[in-house]
């Protein structure tokens, strides 16, 4: 069992990573004094995940004396809405969740963000626990307390900071995760290697293939998850509310978001981030911050994860530029980029000229 602690002035919680830990969640909550005053728990998930993993969790929770009700929401980003959160409130109301009751999110980033937001706002804030089931939520979304939902006009426009009381990661559940989701999340794993953890980068370099779970040895997976959780936790501890260094996590995301939006989400988040990292790496190289050798090493990892490294011709450049223009990351006409400086380190640069970005986008369509 690996425990990564996350300590903030007002909160302290553990990120626990352990194969087959689902049946032990109830005991772990009790050990941490959760549910002492109220045994009521609302478990929020998707039908598929409840079918496969729900009973393990429910048995464990009831065995530890909790009274569990479940809510199953349809999967998909398009359901990350106020309407779904309303359903969580309705369930909370129907089951008389009290100020000291608990919500548990069993799912990927969508379930985690929505359940966290419902917990942040129900009775002005109740405790919640993250049981992430996708690779992306294990390494990123479940850690750090950003919760929220989408507005019809934009992603994650509504939200709150609300830290979970525990993050409970069972790597075995990744066995049912679709391959495309796995690969997309690998982009974020590579990101941590570039911006934060050179050892993680080397570990990925030493792994034969990164495109499918079955090629990754269980102990390697454990170390990857641990290193990513440590990176995310450390960055959040330094800068909980994203006033400074937390922005490093946006490496690959400036252009990435532009491509994701311009493709009308046909290119998913991780795929777009992979291309965004390659292009940011080229900008860094152009500015003399980062070497060609480092760029090639990054390309090699992206290839090993079977992620794209070039912008598909079907995504028009003017649509990407337009999306970049409306992106939050623009500061006074110039673009904000996270640029790598060496393997394991990156810097925030606020004054990248739109001309340089256009130039890099133009060559970004060429295969590499
Ligand atoms: N809060 C944060 O800090 C943060 C950070 C990054 C991303 N996010 C958010 O996370 C969301 C993306 O998360 P995601 O990629 O996990 O998407 P997701 O939650 O939609 O999950 C992807 C798909 O995989 C399925 N799935 C999840 N785990 C599974 C498993 N073990 N077996 C089979 N199927 C499984 C889900 O049902 C879904 O269909 C976005 O909404 C994004 O905004 C939040
Ligand atoms: Zn991301």
């Amino acid at each position: 069992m690996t425990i990564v602690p996350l300590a903030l002035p007002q909160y302290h919680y553990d990120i626990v990573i352990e194969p087959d830990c689902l049946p032990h969640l109830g005991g772990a909550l009790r050990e941490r004094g959760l549910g002492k005053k109220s045994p009521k728990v609302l478990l929020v998930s998707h039908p598929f995940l409840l079918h496969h993993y729900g009973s393990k969790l429910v048995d464990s929770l009831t065995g530890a004396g909790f009274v569990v009700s479940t809510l199953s929401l349809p999967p998909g980003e398009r359901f990350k809405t106020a309407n779904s959160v309303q359903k969580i409130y309705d369930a909370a109301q129907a089951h008389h969740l009290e100020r000291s009751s608990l919500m548990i999110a069993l799912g990927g980033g969508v379930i985690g963000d929505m359940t966290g937001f419902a917990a942040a706002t129900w009775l002005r804030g109740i405790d919640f626990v993250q049981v992430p089931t996708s690779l992306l939520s294990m390494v990123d979304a479940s850690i750090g307390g950003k919760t929220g939902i989408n507005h019809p006009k934009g992603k994650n426009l509504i939200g709150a900071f609300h830290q979970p009381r525990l993050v409970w990661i069972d790597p075995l559940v990744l066995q049912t995760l679709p391959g495309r989701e796995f690969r997309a999340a690998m982009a974020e794993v590579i990101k941590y290697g570039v911006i934060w953890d050179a050892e993680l980068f080397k570990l990925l370099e030493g792994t034969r293939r990164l495109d499918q779970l079955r090629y990754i040895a269980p102990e390697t997976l454990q170390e990857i998850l641990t290193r990513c959780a440590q990176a995310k936790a450390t960055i959040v501890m330094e800068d909980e509310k994203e006033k400074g260094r937390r922005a490093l996590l946006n490496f690959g995301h400036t252009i990435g978001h532009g491509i994701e939006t311009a493709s009308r989400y046909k290119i998913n988040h991780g795929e777009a981030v992979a291309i965004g990292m390659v292009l940011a790496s080229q900008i860094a190289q152009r500015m003399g911050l980062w070497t060609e050798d480092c760029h090639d090493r990054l390309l090699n990892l992206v290839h090993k994860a079977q992620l794209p490294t070039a912008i598909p011709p079907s995504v028009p450049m003017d649509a990407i530029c337009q999306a970049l223009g409306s992106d939050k990351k623009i500061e006074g006409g110039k673009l904000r980029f996270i640029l790598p400086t060496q393997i394991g380190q990156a810097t925030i640069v606020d004054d990248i000229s739109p001309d340089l970005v256009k130039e890099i986008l133009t060559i970004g369509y060429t295969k590499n």
Side-chain angles (χ1 to χ4, degrees):
M1 174 179 290
T2 317
I3 300 180
V4 177
L6 196 157
L8 292 164
Q10 288 176 345
Y11 307 91
H12 181 288
Y13 59 92
D14 289 336
I15 302 149
V16 176
I17 307 159
E18 167 75 4
D20 202 25
C21 66
L22 290 188
H24 308 293
L25 178 64
L29 297 179
R30 287 289 179 208
E31 272 168 30
R32 286 165 177 81
L34 291 163
K36 228 193 274 174
K37 288 195 198 138
S38 158
K40 285 179 198 159
V41 168
L42 176 63
L43 175 65
V44 185
S45 191
H46 297 309
F48 177 89
L49 296 172
L50 279 176
H51 176 74
H52 279 262
Y53 308 112
S55 60
K56 271 191 187 173
L57 272 191
V58 173
D59 290 352
S60 160
L61 293 163
T62 41
F66 290 96
V67 179
V68 187
S69 40
T70 55
L71 173 66
S72 190
L73 294 170
E77 184 73 32
R78 70 195 172 96
F79 293 106
K80 193 176 157 182
T81 57
N83 191 32
S84 295
V85 169
Q86 180 65 45
K87 290 188 179 148
I88 305 180
Y89 294 147
D90 291 346
Q93 198 281 329
H95 298 288
H96 309 291
L97 253 63
E98 298 147 345
R99 182 69 192 76
S100 49
S101 306
L102 197 63
M103 288 189 194
I104 299 179
L106 170 70
V110 167
I111 282 288
D113 279 12
M114 287 197 301
T115 309
F117 183 66
T121 43
W122 181 249
L123 302 179
R124 297 195 181 81
I126 68 169
D127 287 338
F128 88 112
V129 167
Q130 292 272 19
V131 184
T133 61
S134 67
L135 180 59
L136 183 101
S137 56
M138 290 180 186
V139 300
D140 189 357
S142 69
I143 304 166
K146 273 197 196 173
T147 72
I149 53 172
N150 300 329
H151 182 274
K153 297 277 183 209
K155 274 184 78 174
N156 296 327
L157 290 180
I158 305 156
F161 283 96
H162 189 55
Q163 298 292 340
R165 296 296 302 267
L166 178 66
V167 182
W168 197 249
I169 299 177
D170 180 352
L172 293 190
V173 306
L174 293 177
Q175 284 167 6
T176 55
L177 185 72
R180 192 176 177 199
E181 301 291 343
F182 182 83
R183 286 190 292 280
M186 200 46 82
E188 308 280 357
V189 173
I190 295 170
K191 175 189 83 177
Y192 287 118
V194 176
I195 62 160
W196 199 258
D197 184 350
E199 288 304 314
L200 170 62
F201 195 96
K202 286 185 211 144
L203 177 70
L204 299 175
E205 287 185 310
T207 307
R208 195 164 59 90
R209 287 176 67 164
L210 297 170
D211 56 322
Q212 286 182 51
L213 179 69
R214 64 192 165 108
Y215 296 117
I216 300 174
E219 52 289 359
T220 306
L221 179 65
Q222 181 79 10
E223 192 171 349
I224 289 174
L225 294 175
T226 303
R227 287 192 167 274
C228 291
Q230 272 163 344
K232 177 91 192 245
T234 311
I235 294 169
V236 169
M237 285 190 273
E238 274 187 27
D239 177 21
E240 184 189 357
K241 302 273 164 79
E242 199 169 334
K243 296 203 165 71
R245 302 239 307 155
R246 191 164 175 169
L248 290 179
L249 293 168
N250 290 329
F251 172 53
H253 284 61
T254 308
I255 293 180
H257 277 151
I259 294 173
E260 199 184 351
T261 312
S263 79
R264 296 177 194 270
Y265 301 96
K266 285 196 186 68
I267 300 178
N268 71 26
H269 180 73
E271 291 158 355
V273 166
I275 303 167
M277 288 194 294
V278 170
L279 299 187
S281 160
Q282 274 166 339
I283 294 177
Q285 219 187 318
R286 193 66 73 86
M287 292 176 70
L289 293 170
W290 165 254
T291 64
E292 190 179 346
D293 176 56
C294 287
H295 177 74
D296 290 344
R297 287 172 69 187
L298 167 61
L299 265 184
N300 174 39
L301 287 191
V302 177
H303 282 305
K304 266 211 282 194
Q306 301 261 339
L307 285 162
T309 54
I311 309 169
S314 57
V315 186
M317 183 155 140
D318 52 348
I320 302 175
C321 292
Q322 211 181 349
L324 281 175
S326 62
D327 193 276
K328 294 180 268 195
K329 286 166 199 78
I330 283 208
E331 309 253 318
K334 305 258 179 165
L335 285 160
R336 159 174 278 205
F337 271 82
I338 311 305
L339 298 179
T341 50
Q342 50 181 289
I343 303 289
Q345 271 182 40
T347 182
I348 304 167
V349 184
D350 271 323
D351 55 354
I352 302 290
S353 84
D355 286 345
L356 175 57
V357 176
K358 278 190 191 142
E359 204 184 313
I360 294 294
L361 282 175
T362 312
I363 54 171
Y365 287 86
T366 331
K367 287 262 170 290
N368 42 34

